Amino acid sequence: MTLHFIKGILSYSKTELNLKACLRGGQSFRWFISDHDQNEFTGVIRDKIFTLKQMEESIEYTVHYNQQITKNIGNIDQELKDYFHLNENLADLYSNWSQKDEKFRLRIEQYGCVLNGIRVLRLDPVENLFSFICSSNNNIKRITQMVNNMCSHFGDLIGTLNDKNYYTFPSIDRLCHKDVEDKLRKLNFGYRAKFIHQAALYIKNNFDEQWLFSLRQKNYNETVNELVKIPGIGKKVADCISLMSLDKLEAIPVDTHVLNLARNMYHFVPKEAKKSLSDKTYREIADSFRQMWGKYAGWAQTVMFIDDLVEFKKEKINQLEKKEKVALKRSVSDTIMTPNKNLKKIKSKN
């Protein structure tokens, strides 16, 4: 199977686009870090294989495609700009949230190396919806395994790169087949297998794949009300889909991480509040964040969500250690220089 490729560069610095935080922070589950370079990521966007490399002042990309699968190459720069919401000025957004929220400002000042450059992805709604049905009572590592198993069993093979096969995300039509639920159960999807099959049938029987894209034109409340009618989708998953693929940047998915933020950092709910949320408490927490951060509240929440992930804690510790070393060097330097200055003063008096 022959793969063709295109290379290019996007002129966005790491403070404008942080690939690791965006691609490994629980939004998409189809990106893998290169074995030979921790700044290089390979994954699938729709029907093409993208390899993105983080440089300090730019993003280098290589796009592999199969002409039997990819009928229209399109404008790769524009596709990536759309995928990463690069039309939004991130410096302005961070400045706005920092002015409104002292806690946000302090986290960025303390851990800017890790938390700068975080963007909400603009994912394909079909991939986003079925990926987040897998997210129920799950962790990022296992969701990643599930999503890629779904692709390898029901998607189309794009090609092989560095001994790894890459597939398109399965169509809704394919997920409607009678064999899907049984195969997913054998792949350890558990109760999610039924919901994936039922969700596909619901959309096919009532709408079509384009219906999901049409939800981008509806307002936030209308969108969520439509999504929660789909089997396997509750309020939190509906908010994830609304935020990450349907242009509802005010959507706040309230999960354990966000509940902990609301309880321990912002005190929106009492510390003794139960881990299981009532609809009322869920709405109150989300509304409190929206009132504080404004119309892009879901984006600000994404930054704080990534701040709480275990995968990024080591990087934050490393950043603090570097700051402490720099501060120590300055302190030592000042101590050494001070006697010399005093010595010069003594000599000048004599």
Side-chain angles (χ1 to χ4, degrees), residues 333-346:
S333 176
D334 290 344
T335 303
I336 293 170
M337 290 299 294
T338 301
N340 291 338
K341 288 178 182 178
N342 292 336
L343 183 61
K344 286 180 182 179
K345 287 179 181 179
I346 293 168

Side-chain angles (χ1 to χ4, degrees), residues 120-132:
V120 170
L121 301 181
R122 193 172 192 247
L123 300 166
D124 177 276
V126 175
E127 176 181 332
N128 190 209
L129 186 148
F130 288 98
S131 295
F132 273 87

Side-chain angles (χ1 to χ4, degrees), residues 111-155:
Y111 301 118
C113 185
V114 180
L115 299 179
N116 275 321
I118 295 176
R119 292 177 175 273
V120 170
L121 301 181
R122 193 172 192 247
L123 300 166
D124 177 276
V126 175
E127 176 181 332
N128 190 209
L129 186 148
F130 288 98
S131 295
F132 273 87
I133 289 178
C134 297
S135 73
S136 176
N137 298 313
N138 224 336
N139 58 59
I140 291 175
K141 184 177 180 180
R142 189 153 179 264
I143 301 165
T144 299
Q145 183 182 38
M146 285 182 166
V147 169
N148 286 282
N149 271 337
M150 203 187 322
C151 294
S152 63
H153 283 79
F154 306 114

Side-chain angles (χ1 to χ4, degrees), residues 4-8 48-52 61-65 73 76 79-80:
H4 303 267
F5 68 90
I6 300 169
K7 287 180 175 287
K48 297 183 283 293
I49 306 167
F50 284 73
T51 298
L52 308 177
Y61 67 75
T62 304
V63 181
H64 289 86
Y65 62 96
I73 304 304
I76 300 298
E79 187 170 4
L80 286 170

Side-chain angles (χ1 to χ4, degrees), residues 23-70:
L23 301 177
R24 302 282 293 177
Q27 296 190 74
S28 173
F29 306 97
R30 306 200 63 200
W31 292 90
F32 299 92
I33 301 175
S34 168
D35 291 332
H36 62 272
D37 188 343
Q38 292 296 296
N39 292 312
E40 188 174 278
F41 305 82
T42 300
V44 174
I45 302 178
R46 299 179 183 89
D47 54 6
K48 297 183 283 293
I49 306 167
F50 284 73
T51 298
L52 308 177
K53 185 170 183 177
Q54 181 89 65
M55 312 297 284
E56 281 303 318
E57 297 300 326
S58 63
I59 305 292
E60 295 180 356
Y61 67 75
T62 304
V63 181
H64 289 86
Y65 62 96
N66 177 342
Q67 289 183 323
Q68 293 180 326
I69 301 290
T70 307

